[in-house]
Amino acid sequence: MFKLKKIGKSKGSREQPFEVIFFGNNLEHVLYGIENRLSDKEKTKLSTEFAIDVSNGKKDFKSSFSQGEIKTWNIYEESYKEIQNYKGRATNIIALIEEIENGFKPL
């Protein structure tokens, strides 16, 4: 399914372009380098703290994912192929942000 470029609700319906954005692992791995299995409560705490920091201007959302030790890609298609086998901290959310900033130009 992730190799499709368009999907429709049912056969013959109007197809819509779509893309899938992956983190190399989990949010806590990408942002904080935490590879341990965390409980749902711990994950919620970290993601809530991150959201609050972004909302309060303590952190910039986009640059949080552009840290030097986090692998990113500029081209979504390239990221999709490479992220599946990448072993370190990686995300292609930057590709999504770039598309949003550029008005979601279809592939």
Side-chain angles (χ1 to χ4, degrees), residues 20-64:
V20 178
I21 303 296
F22 289 102
F23 287 108
N25 203 323
N26 299 308
L27 180 69
E28 64 274 8
H29 180 242
V30 173
L31 289 180
Y32 306 109
I34 299 171
E35 294 188 65
N36 305 352
R37 292 186 77 94
L38 299 179
S39 68
D40 288 345
K41 186 176 181 176
E42 292 168 313
K43 289 179 180 206
T44 299
K45 182 177 185 265
L46 282 174
S47 61
T48 300
E49 288 172 359
F50 176 69
I52 290 169
D53 287 346
V54 168
S55 296
N56 291 334
K58 290 181 181 177
K59 291 185 179 180
D60 178 72
F61 185 83
K62 184 177 179 180
S63 64
S64 294

Side-chain angles (χ1 to χ4, degrees), residues 2 12 14 16 32-33 36 49 61 70 81 85 94 102:
F2 296 121
R14 186 170 166 242
Q16 296 293 318
Y32 306 109
N36 305 352
E49 288 172 359
F61 185 83
I70 299 173
K81 292 173 187 169
N85 298 313
I94 297 297
N102 293 320

